[in-house]
Amino acid sequence: MTSIKDVARIAGVSVATVSRVLNDKGYVGQRTREKVEKAIKETSYKPNEVARSLFKKQSNTIGLIVPDIMNPFFTELARAVEDMAIKLGYNVILCNSDGNGDKEQAYLDVLKQKYVNGIIVSSNTLTAQQVEELNIPVVSIDREISKGLPTIVVENKKGAMMATRYLQSKGCRNIGHIRGSYGVVNAEERYEGYKEVVANEPWFRESYVVNGNFDMQSSIEATAELLRLHPEIDGIFAANDIMAIGAIKVAHQLGKKVPEELAVIGFDGIKLSTVMTPELTTIVQPIYKLGEISAEMLISLMEQQPIENTYCKLDVELIERNST
Amino acid sequence: MTSIKDVARIAGVSVATVSRVLNDKGYVGQRTREKVEKAIKETSYKPNEVARSLFKKQSNTIGLIVPDIMNPFFTELARAVEDMAIKLGYNVILCNSDGNGDKEQAYLDVLKQKYVNGIIVSSNTLTAQQVEELNIPVVSIDREISKGLPTIVVENKKGAMMATRYLQSKGCRNIGHIRGSYGVVNAEERYEGYKEVVANEPWFRESYVVNGNFDMQSSIEATAELLRLHPEIDGIFAANDIMAIGAIKVAHQLGKKVPEELAVIGFDGIKLSTVMTPELTTIVQPIYKLGEISAEMLISLMEQQPIENTYCKLDVELIERNST
DNA sequence: TTGAAAGCGTTACCAT
DNA sequence: ATGGTAACGCTTTCAA
């Protein structure tokens, strides 16, 4: 690999001068600049990013910590983050934490050791203190870590209310809820939204809510239990699309027609929701947008650009398809 | 951030000694070692990876270049690679190339500048020369770049033959094929497998093959065209699962019952294929395994460990579900 | 067994 | 306008 010294030697100048033309900084004579550029081209020299990073204490890299990239929500998010990062001159290191706090901390540590400029994280276990100790920009996405930290989330409660009311408007009389994991902020918010709408209904009892852990398998079990306990249920609001799909599978197995006998609505708007039959009615989050905005915000923070707003709550939208 | 100098000062030794205990290399007195370890703990010192990388010319990082992480096949692959990489002490930089040769080269360049230890890549445009010029270990996955380069692929042709023969065994008399993009090795191989089985059938004509470009939208269009042209078709082999799902959607729209009137078989075995109704019969690749093996092989190469085999062709399996 | 110092490839300050 | 050089934080050789 050719280094800046080689270029300097070939161009007959000092390394300082080469560095100046490389970064377009400081005075360089026209004649000299040309010589240097020629040498760079000849050797197809590419600056060593590691040496640069060591000096600058920044590596032009950002870390992205998500629970699991296999979850389609995070897949799309990751894609958006990577796209925006590249566009603005950064690479991204991908980290799957499985929601495990120890893994998260371990990732934070190595990312810091690698001089990443900033980190985007989706976590429910991380504390504000852990984040602040890092002393590098962090934006929290999908799940709020603490007021005060830069955050991008969506209108979870509002979306949940929309979903539940929509089911009512479709004539559902008994509406169940498959909730997401306990302790996860957005699961709680969606549950609250549902609760607020149905709390005063005469039929409502807490047993209309079951835990689906945000994944398909748990949802299948939870739905089976829910429908066994409450065969009168004619509408289900699932806290995410994967769980909604699981619920529909169970309905099929039980011979319940969707949407005629059981209406199902999800939350997220993952691509998957349009490929199945029936296509899923759902509360759509602007997932890609979430990722883009989080990357933009993080990079603004990293580059110390003036930033209007460090807390961003995006709106959601009900898309009506064939499962309701 | 505390540096090795701080630790040395606190422990009352030289940085060289600290380095020795850090890396457990060279002689260090028992007493001294304890002092140093104490200082490390007190300051919760973490070595600076960038400085290390500069010296070592290696960054404990590998690059992963895929066309698009949104394709479920690559999602699972990425997850496997990341898991294995972490397990063996490496991080991974994620790169989405969109199959664009320029982006691929751009990624190769920055990865090299960042001193990644090695790269896993899935590409049809990259040449052996481009890869060799890098002078760092590269393993090619899912698509072969050139004999001689480390490669992990699956039995594409065999799988395609299995799929087509299976359709025959199910009583299909006229079998169409939705092929993957032209120029992509595995698309060609799967096409060849199909062709080999049906070439001598009296009904066979080239118009039984349409191009679905490996994505759902194209597949939907291609399938519609195929069924319009050949309404007699009662079996379809799609070169991947996404296209198979698209084909089933079209069948639904046309009122054709799957599998009664039209049997559909896919290729890949992505998770998605089990969540839909009907569940998809498909040729399952060991996707996660592919990712694991590629990471293992790459890292063996990087660490110059003795390596048995640099070309790995994994077997596939037909999983019968409800679409056939 | 330990320490001093060179070197990894840059950048930025200070001279000239 | 250009060059010399310290510094970034670490590892490793060479001496002691």
Side-chain angles (χ1 to χ4, degrees):
Chain A
M1 280 261 286
T2 112
S3 86
I4 198 173
K5 282 188 190 167
D6 304 317
V7 177
R9 190 169 28 73
I10 292 175
V13 300
S14 75
V15 296
T17 302
V18 177
S19 179
R20 278 185 210 106
V21 347
L22 238 36
N23 299 291
D24 212 12
K25 230 176 200 173
Y27 299 95
V28 183
Q30 183 53 36
R31 184 83 192 81
T32 318
R33 158 164 278 122
E34 280 160 14
K35 277 192 302 182
V36 172
E37 276 163 354
K38 182 152 163 288
I40 289 177
K41 191 158 286 173
E42 270 175 19
T43 55
S44 68
Y45 162 75
K46 304 264 185 345
N48 180 321
E49 284 299 328
V50 176
R52 267 191 177 168
S53 301
L54 180 57
F55 188 89
K56 298 276 201 67
K57 299 181 187 297
Q58 313 246 317
S59 63
N60 287 322
T61 307
I62 68 181
L64 173 64
I65 306 180
V66 294
D68 181 8
I69 186 93
M70 295 275 281
N71 175 331
F73 175 84
F74 292 114
T75 313
E76 190 167 347
L77 208 64
R79 176 72 217 233
V81 168
E82 212 263 331
D83 285 349
M84 183 56 75
I86 279 296
K87 194 167 142 198
L88 301 180
Y90 297 84
N91 288 109
V92 5
I93 295 183
L94 173 66
C95 312
N96 292 289
S97 70
D98 290 317
N100 174 329
D102 293 340
K103 284 198 198 177
E104 287 171 347
Q105 183 61 58
Y107 274 123
L108 291 181
D109 287 343
V110 305
L111 290 175
K112 175 119 199 228
Q113 293 172 233
K114 282 181 182 296
Y115 274 160
V116 298
N117 303 41
I119 299 175
I120 294 173
V121 60
S122 178
S123 160
N124 355 265
T125 66
L126 246 31
T127 65
Q129 198 198 350
Q130 280 175 295
V131 170
E132 277 156 7
E133 275 171 359
L134 281 176
N135 274 317
I136 56 179
V138 171
V139 349
S140 172
I141 188 164
D142 184 46
R143 306 166 185 195
E144 178 175 314
I145 291 183
S146 121
K147 307 282 174 199
L149 290 180
T151 303
I152 322 267
V153 288
V154 298
E155 294 277 8
N156 286 305
K157 185 167 176 186
K158 176 179 162 194
M161 293 177 68
M162 283 164 58
T164 313
R165 289 220 182 93
Y166 171 79
L167 251 23
Q168 289 179 326
S169 80
K170 280 289 174 178
C172 296
R173 305 307 307 153
N174 298 277
I175 302 173
H177 175 46
I178 306 174
R179 54 161 295 149
S181 320
Y182 291 105
V184 176
V185 181
N186 51 23
E188 300 300 345
E189 289 178 348
R190 290 171 201 176
Y191 163 66
E192 280 167 27
Y194 158 82
K195 187 79 175 286
E196 189 155 320
V197 173
V198 300
N200 292 321
E201 296 288 336
W203 53 263
F204 178 73
R205 267 167 291 158
E206 274 299 335
S207 57
Y208 273 79
V209 178
V210 289
N211 181 7
N213 258 323
F214 277 142
D215 72 63
M216 173 126 69
Q217 195 48 48
S218 310
S219 167
I220 286 175
E221 290 157 20
T223 307
E225 175 65 11
L226 181 66
L227 292 178
R228 195 182 58 69
L229 212 64
H230 293 294
E232 73 279 15
I233 282 182
D234 54 3
I236 289 184
F237 163 48
N240 76 4
D241 288 345
I242 296 282
M243 295 196 296
I245 291 169
I248 290 176
K249 278 188 86 106
V250 172
H252 277 306
Q253 283 164 14
L254 297 179
K256 276 205 194 246
K257 285 209 146 96
V258 176
E260 294 81 355
E261 302 169 47
L262 179 68
V264 177
I265 185 169
F267 200 114
D268 273 0
I270 60 179
K271 293 267 180 299
L272 184 49
S273 61
T274 70
V275 318
M276 45 177 307
T277 312
E279 296 190 0
L280 187 66
T281 296
T282 189
I283 302 293
V284 175
Q285 302 191 46
I287 309 182
Y288 192 88
K289 193 88 198 160
L290 278 174
E292 281 188 319
I293 292 187
S294 64
E296 275 176 336
M297 186 187 285
L298 180 69
I299 293 171
S300 295
L301 253 21
M302 291 172 352
E303 298 179 349
Q304 324 225 38
Q305 289 164 8
I307 187 159
E308 340 64 74
N309 196 345
T310 183
Y311 185 95
C312 191
K313 188 173 240 174
L314 270 57
D315 211 352
V316 294
E317 187 186 359
L318 193 155
I319 302 272
E320 184 167 5
R321 293 198 277 247
N322 314 321
S323 68
T324 50
Chain B
M1 280 260 286
T2 113
S3 88
I4 198 172
K5 281 188 192 167
D6 303 317
V7 176
R9 190 168 29 73
I10 292 175
V13 300
S14 75
V15 296
T17 302
V18 177
S19 177
R20 280 187 204 103
V21 346
L22 238 36
N23 300 291
D24 211 12
K25 231 175 200 173
Y27 297 94
V28 183
Q30 182 53 36
R31 184 82 193 82
T32 319
R33 158 164 279 122
E34 281 160 12
K35 277 192 301 181
V36 172
E37 276 163 354
K38 181 152 164 287
I40 288 178
K41 190 157 288 172
E42 271 175 17
T43 55
S44 67
Y45 164 74
K46 304 265 183 344
N48 180 321
E49 283 301 327
V50 176
R52 263 190 181 167
S53 302
L54 180 58
F55 186 89
K56 298 275 202 66
K57 298 181 187 299
Q58 312 246 314
S59 62
N60 288 321
T61 307
I62 68 180
L64 172 64
I65 306 181
V66 295
D68 181 9
I69 187 93
M70 294 276 282
N71 176 330
F73 175 85
F74 291 114
T75 313
E76 190 167 348
L77 208 64
R79 176 72 216 233
V81 168
E82 212 262 329
D83 284 350
M84 183 56 75
I86 279 296
K87 194 168 142 198
L88 301 179
Y90 297 83
N91 289 109
V92 6
I93 295 184
L94 172 66
C95 312
N96 292 289
S97 70
D98 291 317
N100 174 329
D102 292 340
K103 284 198 200 178
E104 287 170 347
Q105 183 60 60
Y107 275 123
L108 291 180
D109 288 342
V110 305
L111 290 175
K112 176 120 198 223
Q113 296 176 73
K114 282 181 183 293
Y115 275 158
V116 296
N117 301 43
I119 298 176
I120 295 174
V121 61
S122 179
S123 160
N124 354 264
T125 66
L126 246 32
T127 66
Q129 199 199 349
Q130 281 175 293
V131 170
E132 278 156 7
E133 275 172 358
L134 280 176
N135 274 316
I136 56 179
V138 171
V139 348
S140 172
I141 188 163
D142 183 47
R143 306 165 185 195
E144 178 175 314
I145 291 182
S146 122
K147 307 281 174 202
L149 290 181
T151 302
I152 322 267
V153 288
V154 297
E155 294 278 8
N156 286 304
K157 185 167 174 184
K158 177 179 161 194
M161 294 177 67
M162 282 163 58
T164 314
R165 289 219 182 92
Y166 171 78
L167 252 21
Q168 289 179 325
S169 80
K170 280 289 171 179
C172 296
R173 305 309 307 155
N174 299 276
I175 302 173
H177 176 47
I178 306 175
R179 54 160 297 148
S181 321
Y182 291 105
V184 177
V185 181
N186 50 23
E188 300 299 344
E189 289 178 349
R190 290 171 200 176
Y191 164 66
E192 279 167 27
Y194 159 82
K195 187 79 174 286
E196 189 155 319
V197 174
V198 300
N200 292 321
E201 296 289 337
W203 53 263
F204 178 72
R205 269 168 288 159
E206 274 298 336
S207 58
Y208 274 79
V209 178
V210 290
N211 180 9
N213 258 323
F214 277 142
D215 72 63
M216 172 128 66
Q217 195 47 47
S218 310
S219 167
I220 286 175
E221 291 157 20
T223 307
E225 175 67 9
L226 181 66
L227 292 178
R228 196 183 56 71
L229 212 64
H230 293 294
E232 74 279 13
I233 283 183
D234 55 3
I236 289 184
F237 163 48
N240 75 3
D241 288 345
I242 295 284
M243 295 196 297
I245 291 168
I248 291 175
K249 277 189 86 106
V250 172
H252 278 306
Q253 282 163 13
L254 297 178
K256 275 203 195 248
K257 285 208 146 104
V258 176
E260 294 82 356
E261 302 169 48
L262 180 68
V264 177
I265 185 170
F267 200 116
D268 273 359
I270 59 179
K271 293 267 180 297
L272 185 50
S273 62
T274 70
V275 317
M276 45 177 307
T277 314
E279 296 191 1
L280 187 67
T281 296
T282 189
I283 303 293
V284 175
Q285 302 190 46
I287 308 182
Y288 192 88
K289 193 92 199 155
L290 278 175
E292 281 189 319
I293 292 186
S294 64
E296 274 175 337
M297 185 187 283
L298 180 69
I299 293 171
S300 295
L301 254 19
M302 291 173 349
E303 298 179 349
Q304 323 225 40
Q305 289 164 9
I307 185 159
E308 339 65 74
N309 196 345
T310 181
Y311 184 95
C312 191
K313 188 174 240 175
L314 270 58
D315 211 351
V316 295
E317 187 186 358
L318 194 153
I319 301 272
E320 184 168 5
R321 292 198 277 247
N322 314 321
S323 67
T324 50

